[in-house]
């Protein structure tokens, strides 16, 4: 995407106030979804160490497309052959479960149960305590993205999309289908949750809002190109990009889109947004395929700054930790950027390709490479 495209950022919608929705991390030792929370906002209140050092490295020597998720300090992911690993806060492997089938999706953890979609179309629930399968639900297409969790009427549901063109909402207890919605094409990205509604983009270029309880659409919006990545939500606002390099803002109310606007236009038609934006109460952060991390004021649409990365970020998405932004590249560079000024504060070369999104817990930054190497950064140990 050409640099001059971003000088033409047009104003966003009405002022976007409110406090950021914090991650699902009551004790700061959990990172249950690949974007930190059910809204996929990419924001956490957890502070990063001011000058992180590499505390340990765990090498699985098995390639993965997963991002890391964390439960009570133990980091979980699945490799492409279907082996789920858990590594504790000291770098010791403490969990292993073999699904014996190909997997590319990132898991989700809820109430000590790990939920993961498989290439063979199965959604599987695994008890972390019992180390056994609780249930499986079969779809007719591969599951490529992380599931999410939604609550309504006192019940907890697991929601995800499949390449059989359906969005599924399952009872978390036994995997029975609560509702199912048929879209126009296969579903590739994770859904974002807002109350009892979920939002997702499809390969048919439609952004849809679905009432999970009933499995019916409450609103939709046709974009200019297909939507490869997930939307991100903060309060009443949703942001997402399409494969032509356009970025959109939607204002939501009771499961409907009350206003929408294209906040960034692609002039050459050859650009694409393949990562998920990150949001605070005042600012939108997103990665472009011209190797820039952008910060944009949500109230007036003006760019605050841009930071040039040392390589393309690909599908990896930025994470905001209060006043700092973490971003990774396919060239293996991990950067921490000041969220207000855009100045580089810290950088590390992992030496391996990174396509996953970071995970952040108290005192730790966790990065998983495509080769299956888990790196843990934290404060320098006291001598």
């Amino acid at each position: 995407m050409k640099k001059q495209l971003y000088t033409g950022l047009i104003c966003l919608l009405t002022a976007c106030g409110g406090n950021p929705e914090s991650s699902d991390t009551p004790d700061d030792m959990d990172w249950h979804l690949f974007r930190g929370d059910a809204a996929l906002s990419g924001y956490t209140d957890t502070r990063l160490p001011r000058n992180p050092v590499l505390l340990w490295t765990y090498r699985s020597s098995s390639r993965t497309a997963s991002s890391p998720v964390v439960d009570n300090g133990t980091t979980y992911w699945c490799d492409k052959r279907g082996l789920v690993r858990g590594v504790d806060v000291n770098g010791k492997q403490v969990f292993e479960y073999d699904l014996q089938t190909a997997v590319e999706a990132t898991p989700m953890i809820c109430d000590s149960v790990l939920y993961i979609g498989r290439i063979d179309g199965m959604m599987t629930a695994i008890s972390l305590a019992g180390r056994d399968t609780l249930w499986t639900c079969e779809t007719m297409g591969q599951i490529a993205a992380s599931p999410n969790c939604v609550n309504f009427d006192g019940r907890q549901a697991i929601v995800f999309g499949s390449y059989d063109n359906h969005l599924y909402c399952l009872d978390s207890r036994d995997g029975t289908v609560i509702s199912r919605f048929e879209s126009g094409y296969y579903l590739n990205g994770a859904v974002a949750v807002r109350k009892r509604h979920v939002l997702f983009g499809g390969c048919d270029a439609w952004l849809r809002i679905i009432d999970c309880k009933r499995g019916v659409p409450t609103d939709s919006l046709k974009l200019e190109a297909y939507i490869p990545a997930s939307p991100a939500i903060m309060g009443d606002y949703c942001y997402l990009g399409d494969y032509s390099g356009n970025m959109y803002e939607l204002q939501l109310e009771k499961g409907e889109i009350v206003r929408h606007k294209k906040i960034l236009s692609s002039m050459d038609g050859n650009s694409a947004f393949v990562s998920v934006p990150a949001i605070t109460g005042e600012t939108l952060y997103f990665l472009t395929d011209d190797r820039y991390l952008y910060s944009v004021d949500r109230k007036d649409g003006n760019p605050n700054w841009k930071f040039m990365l040392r390589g393309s970020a690909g599908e990896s998405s930025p994470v905001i930790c209060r006043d700092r932004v973490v971003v990774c590249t396919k060239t293996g560079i991990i950067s921490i950027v000041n969220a207000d000024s855009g100045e580089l504060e810290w950088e590390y070369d992992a030496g391996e390709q990174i396509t996953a999104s970071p995970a952040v817990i108290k005192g730790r930054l966790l990065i998983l490479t495509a080769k299956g190497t888990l790196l843990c950064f934290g404060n320098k140990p006291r001598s």
Side-chain angles (χ1 to χ4, degrees):
M1 187 173 295
K2 309 303 182 185
K3 291 187 288 185
Q4 59 264 33
L5 300 185
Y6 296 92
T7 61
L9 280 170
I10 54 181
C11 292
L12 303 186
L13 293 170
T14 312
C16 312
N19 294 323
E21 299 174 14
S22 62
S23 302
D24 183 20
T25 54
D27 59 357
D28 292 330
M29 294 301 287
D30 300 332
W31 187 268
H32 286 157
L33 291 107
F34 85 109
R35 299 295 292 142
D37 60 19
L40 307 186
S41 70
Y43 176 87
T44 176
D45 281 327
T46 304
R47 294 185 185 275
L48 287 173
R50 185 50 54 185
N51 187 29
V53 298
L54 183 63
L55 301 179
W56 50 261
T57 299
Y58 173 88
R59 299 184 184 277
S60 69
S61 301
S62 185
R63 297 191 68 84
T64 179
S66 176
S67 292
V69 292
V70 189
D71 183 66
N72 196 29
T74 297
T75 303
Y76 297 88
W77 74 95
C78 188
D79 66 28
K80 289 190 174 184
R81 295 181 179 179
L83 186 65
V84 181
R85 290 178 172 86
V87 176
D88 71 13
V89 73
N90 297 312
K92 178 182 178 181
Q93 183 173 333
V94 294
F95 181 91
E96 184 176 295
Y97 192 85
D98 194 353
L99 292 166
Q100 298 182 340
T101 188
V103 173
E104 291 190 357
T106 296
M108 179 199 68
I109 299 173
C110 188
D111 293 337
S112 296
V113 177
L114 184 144
Y115 301 90
I116 188 164
R118 301 161 20 177
I119 295 298
D120 63 5
M122 297 288 188
M123 175 59 64
T124 301
I126 302 169
S127 169
L128 296 180
R131 299 171 185 253
D132 60 350
T133 296
L134 300 177
W135 52 257
T136 58
C137 177
E138 183 179 10
T139 76
M140 300 306 293
Q142 74 177 49
I143 303 169
S146 176
N148 210 326
C149 187
V150 61
N151 295 282
F152 54 85
D153 294 346
R155 67 196 309 185
Q156 183 174 269
I158 306 304
V159 60
F160 61 94
S162 168
Y163 273 41
D164 68 2
N165 302 356
H166 284 84
L167 176 80
Y168 290 85
C169 183
L170 310 180
D171 192 309
S172 66
R173 297 169 298 183
D174 55 16
T176 56
V177 178
I178 298 172
S179 66
R180 191 174 70 161
F181 169 77
E182 184 175 4
S183 67
Y185 207 53
Y186 58 76
L187 279 64
N188 184 68
V191 302
V193 173
R194 185 177 185 272
K195 299 180 180 178
R196 62 185 269 178
H197 295 91
V198 298
L199 287 78
F200 65 91
C203 293
D204 57 357
W206 282 93
L207 182 281
R208 291 183 170 88
I209 305 178
I210 307 298
D211 182 323
C212 283
K213 179 180 179 181
R214 298 180 295 147
V216 298
T218 56
D219 212 341
S220 60
L221 178 68
K222 182 70 176 291
L223 275 58
E224 293 185 10
Y226 88 83
I227 307 164
S230 302
I233 300 172
M234 180 65 71
D236 295 331
Y237 289 83
C238 171
Y239 297 88
L240 76 161
D242 67 21
Y243 201 70
S244 290
N246 303 301
M247 179 69 69
Y248 303 83
E249 181 193 71
L250 288 65
Q251 187 176 1
L252 310 172
E253 185 176 308
K254 297 180 179 179
E256 297 183 351
I257 303 167
V258 295
R259 281 188 289 272
H260 67 86
K261 201 166 192 175
K262 185 190 298 183
I263 61 173
L264 174 66
S265 296
S266 172
M267 300 296 292
D268 58 19
N270 295 318
S271 303
F273 284 111
V274 295
S275 70
V276 186
I279 322 168
T280 71
E282 298 79 27
T283 310
L284 174 69
Y285 300 88
F286 55 85
L287 295 165
T288 64
D289 61 0
D290 61 351
R291 297 172 51 194
Y292 278 97
L293 168 67
Y294 278 85
S295 167
V296 174
D297 191 300
R298 292 178 59 202
K299 292 183 180 180
D300 58 24
N302 291 324
N304 298 316
W305 49 260
K306 62 180 182 179
F307 172 78
M308 188 172 187
L309 306 172
R310 290 174 55 193
S312 170
E315 297 178 0
S316 182
S317 302
V319 168
I320 308 162
C321 306
R322 293 202 176 193
D323 58 347
R324 307 170 84 190
V325 186
V326 185
V327 62
C328 303
T329 70
K330 288 196 293 186
T331 53
I333 305 299
I334 309 161
S335 303
I336 297 179
V337 179
N338 185 286
D340 295 325
S341 67
E343 295 179 357
L344 179 66
E345 294 189 353
W346 179 88
E347 192 170 76
Y348 184 89
D349 187 348
E352 297 178 5
Q353 185 182 70
I354 302 172
T355 58
S357 297
V360 180
I361 60 174
K362 185 177 181 180
R364 299 286 191 275
L365 168 63
L366 296 151
I367 305 293
L368 182 63
T369 74
K371 286 187 176 181
T373 301
L374 181 66
L375 298 95
C376 178
F377 300 91
N379 289 309
K380 185 177 180 179
R382 295 179 180 178
S383 56

